[in-house]
């Protein structure tokens, strides 16, 4: 057997100290630490770090083209790399919208220029021209240009016949449609849950029924067409109960949620805190518990950040006028490790949800430790806790309700395709 190019020595994986041998950008072998390693092979000591497969984020907003003051492709990929992500799927709601090959290619060129060795960028094709919900984009061409999925994220397609055509058309090219589930007429983008809190604050809220109605549509269509649909950022119990039932019946539906729906309730918007204004809105503790259970049971397949950076001045306005979104790439992995520490998630679920399932659902490079897998992995230092402060966030977006909180550890190193990029 030939020699590895380098060895990560003594990193913790599933509670054991392991050596990870890497050759030609791929995993060669993982074995208990301490075995002999040929003379001259580079040995990289893990110094107590945890070894994790690199993460994939199937739902981010990188804002370029058109909104570069919030984020650009270079700054988004920088935050992703330092957050432990090897693969990123960016949504199409840019200006111009990513509904043409020229826009996709421009995004990919910018990514290659800024970060030639990764993280890998996979733009999501706009499902309809201009995200207007009237005319389908040329998904065949966009698939050839590198789009693995298509979505009208933020502006769900109202016309069910058009949406059905889109799902069937996308499937012809092996692309999955990601649906942002929100009844377009029921307080779209309200950013606060409808209930006692919203009426006390005098804000128009978005009811959970508005989310569940769209999830029901997607389940019915996925079943009828026997074609996959992926449900974006699930936030409420009603939606997960329907997803659980659909999955039991074998309907080809998949779903995602974000760390904030596992950790925060609507109470985070008390005092009109726009940092906690997201779409769908933060819900009640009952919803949070349902989301946690659904993730652990695999009813919700994957975790995503829905990274939505905004400039400070855009959030420093009255609640009703502020844009929705949390800047999530910097804090996603530490928040996940916090949830593992607190017993909210088990480690196996976290790895399935961030590393393994996204690759399966969207046909991306798989991050794992089997021989021959791409050498995409993270060394995470659980002893290096840090406080979330604007200057420590790599994203241009400093908008997070976790500002000032202590994160349990950080990414020490990220390898993509066997190259250390952090
Ligand atoms: Zn969305």
């Amino acid at each position: 057997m030939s020699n590895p190019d380098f060895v990560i020595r003594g990193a913790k994986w599933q509670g054991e100290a392991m050596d990870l041998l890497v050759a030609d950008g791929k995993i060669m072998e993982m074995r208990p630490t301490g075995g002999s390693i040929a003379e001259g092979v580079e040995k990289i000591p893990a110094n107590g770090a945890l070894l994790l497969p690199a993460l994939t984020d199937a739902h981010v907003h990188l804002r370029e083209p058109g909104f570069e003051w919030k984020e650009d492709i270079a700054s988004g990929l920088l935050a992703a790399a330092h957050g432990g992500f090897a693969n990123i799927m960016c949504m199409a709601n840019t200006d111009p919208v990513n509904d043409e090959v020229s826009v996709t290619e421009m995004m990919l060129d910018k990514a290659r220029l800024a970060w030639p060795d990764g993280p890998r960028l996979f733009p999501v094709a706009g499902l309809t021209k201009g995200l207007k919900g009237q005319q389908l984009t040329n998904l065949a061409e966009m698939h050839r240009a590198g789009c693995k999925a298509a979505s009208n994220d933020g502006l769900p397609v109202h016309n069910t016949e058009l949406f059905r055509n889109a799902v069937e058309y996308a499937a012809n090219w092996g692309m999955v449609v990601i649906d942002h589930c929100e009844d377009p007429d029921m307080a779209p983008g309200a950013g606060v849950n409808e209930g006692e809190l919203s009426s006390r604050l005098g804000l128009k809220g978005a009811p959970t029924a508005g989310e569940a109605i769209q999830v029901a549509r997607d389940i019915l269509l996925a079943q009828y067409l026997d074609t996959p649909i992926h449900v974006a950022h699930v936030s409420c119990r009603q939606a997960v109960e329907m997803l659980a039932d659909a999955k039991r019946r074998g309907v080809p539906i998949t779903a995602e949620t974000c760390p904030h729906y596992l950790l925060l309730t609507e109470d985070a918007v008390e005092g009109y805190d726009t940092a906690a204004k997201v779409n769908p809105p933060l819900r009640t503790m009952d919803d949070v518990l349902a989301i946690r259970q659904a993730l652990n049971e695999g009813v919700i397949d994957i975790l995503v950040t829905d990274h939505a950076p905004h400039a400070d001045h855009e959030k420093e306005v009255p609640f009703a006028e502020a844009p929705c979104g949390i800047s999530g790439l910097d804090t996603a992995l530490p928040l996940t490790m916090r949830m593992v520490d607190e017993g909210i998630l088990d480690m196996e679920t976290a790895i399935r949800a961030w590393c393994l399932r996204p690759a399966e659902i969207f046909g991306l490079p798989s991050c794992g430790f089997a021989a021959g897998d791409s050498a995409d992995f993270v060394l995470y230092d659980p002893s290096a806790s840090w406080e979330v402060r604007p200057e420590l966030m790599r994203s241009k977006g400093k908008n997070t309700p976790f500002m000032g909180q202590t994160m349990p550890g950080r990414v020490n190193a990220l390898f993509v395709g066997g190259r250390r990029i952090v």
Side-chain angles (χ1 to χ4, degrees):
M1 191 159 66
S2 57
N3 287 331
D5 296 331
F6 64 90
V7 177
I8 306 291
R9 204 97 225 232
K12 272 206 200 92
W13 167 246
Q14 296 179 335
E16 308 287 330
M18 306 298 279
D19 287 349
L20 190 70
L21 285 63
V22 176
D24 296 329
K26 297 195 165 19
I27 305 291
M28 187 174 158
E29 189 187 354
M30 182 155 71
R31 66 187 191 199
T33 194
S36 72
I37 292 164
E39 201 70 22
V41 172
E42 186 189 2
K43 301 181 194 73
I44 302 170
N47 297 324
L50 301 176
L51 180 63
L52 300 167
L55 282 62
T56 290
D57 193 341
H59 192 149
V60 303
H61 299 269
L62 295 187
R63 306 304 191 197
E64 186 176 5
F67 308 97
E68 289 84 353
W69 68 90
K70 297 175 193 270
E71 190 82 289
D72 55 49
I73 286 171
S75 64
L77 291 179
L78 177 75
H82 285 269
F85 293 92
N87 304 300
I88 295 292
M89 287 175 32
C90 62
M91 287 295 169
N93 62 339
T94 47
D95 184 16
V97 167
N98 181 28
D99 58 8
E100 283 190 22
V101 168
S102 59
V103 181
T104 307
E105 283 173 349
M106 183 278 278
M107 289 173 159
L108 292 172
D109 284 344
K110 294 257 179 180
R112 268 190 293 267
L113 267 176
W115 283 76
D117 297 323
R120 305 177 192 98
L121 185 67
F122 298 95
V124 174
L127 193 59
T128 59
K129 287 271 173 199
L131 305 183
K132 292 195 168 84
Q134 285 163 2
Q135 194 189 346
L136 296 183
T137 49
N138 189 332
L139 293 182
E141 276 184 8
M142 299 199 64
H143 176 63
R144 273 194 293 277
C147 298
K148 303 282 191 185
S151 182
N152 239 47
D153 185 46
L155 295 163
V157 176
H158 209 335
N159 181 328
T160 301
E161 175 66 3
L162 185 78
F163 187 69
R164 167 232 172 114
N165 290 338
V167 169
E168 290 185 301
Y169 177 32
N172 286 340
W173 306 101
M175 298 169 86
V176 177
V177 169
I178 302 172
D179 197 26
H180 171 111
C181 287
E182 177 179 38
D183 181 295
D185 299 318
M186 294 180 89
V192 61
N193 185 41
E194 182 173 285
E196 183 272 326
L197 180 85
S198 64
S199 39
R200 183 158 47 79
L201 295 180
L203 296 167
K204 175 84 182 132
T208 54
E211 176 173 331
I213 283 165
Q214 293 287 110
V215 172
R217 175 188 78 163
D218 290 356
I219 289 170
L220 290 167
L221 275 180
Q223 178 175 7
Y224 178 61
L225 303 173
D226 194 22
T227 302
I229 297 175
H230 179 78
V231 175
H233 35 53
V234 175
S235 74
C236 66
R237 178 179 289 278
Q238 278 176 303
V240 296
E241 284 178 351
M242 287 191 295
L243 288 165
D245 171 65
K247 286 195 157 191
R248 257 195 307 275
R249 293 184 288 109
V251 177
I253 194 131
T254 54
E256 66 188 37
T257 194
C258 314
H260 44 270
Y261 299 117
L262 294 157
L263 280 163
L264 300 174
T265 68
E266 60 182 358
D267 293 342
V269 306
E270 277 284 8
Y272 303 93
D273 187 355
T274 58
K277 182 177 181 183
V278 275
N279 189 23
L282 300 169
R283 307 287 191 183
T284 66
M285 196 61 201
D286 180 59
D287 295 301
V288 169
L289 294 173
I291 298 282
R292 289 176 180 177
Q293 185 184 352
L295 186 63
N296 278 309
E297 291 177 353
V299 168
I300 293 176
D301 299 79
I302 65 172
L303 281 163
V304 301
T305 61
D306 193 13
H307 178 68
H310 294 291
D312 289 349
H313 71 269
E314 294 168 301
K315 282 281 197 179
E316 287 163 2
V317 295
F319 191 91
E321 291 159 32
C324 292
I326 289 174
S327 181
L329 287 169
D330 287 275
T331 52
L333 182 52
L335 288 173
T336 302
M337 299 307 278
R338 179 199 283 180
M339 290 191 276
V340 170
D341 288 346
E342 292 175 1
I344 293 169
L345 285 185
D346 55 53
M347 194 65 196
E348 202 188 323
T349 298
I351 288 172
R352 186 179 72 221
W354 276 123
C355 313
L356 307 179
R357 281 294 281 152
E360 291 170 1
I361 294 170
F362 298 109
L364 305 178
S366 76
C367 303
F369 294 130
D373 281 351
S374 180
D376 302 345
F377 58 89
V378 169
L379 292 174
Y380 185 83
D381 181 358
S383 67
S385 65
W386 59 286
E387 187 186 307
V388 182
R389 292 200 305 269
E391 66 273 20
L392 295 182
M393 295 177 72
R394 312 277 177 157
S395 167
K396 285 187 190 175
K398 316 298 180 187
N399 49 304
T400 170
F402 301 103
M403 190 62 71
Q405 294 193 16
T406 301
M407 296 291 124
R410 65 160 180 238
V411 172
N412 247 0
L414 171 68
F415 288 76
V416 177
R419 284 175 207 259
R420 183 171 183 168
I421 63 167
V422 167

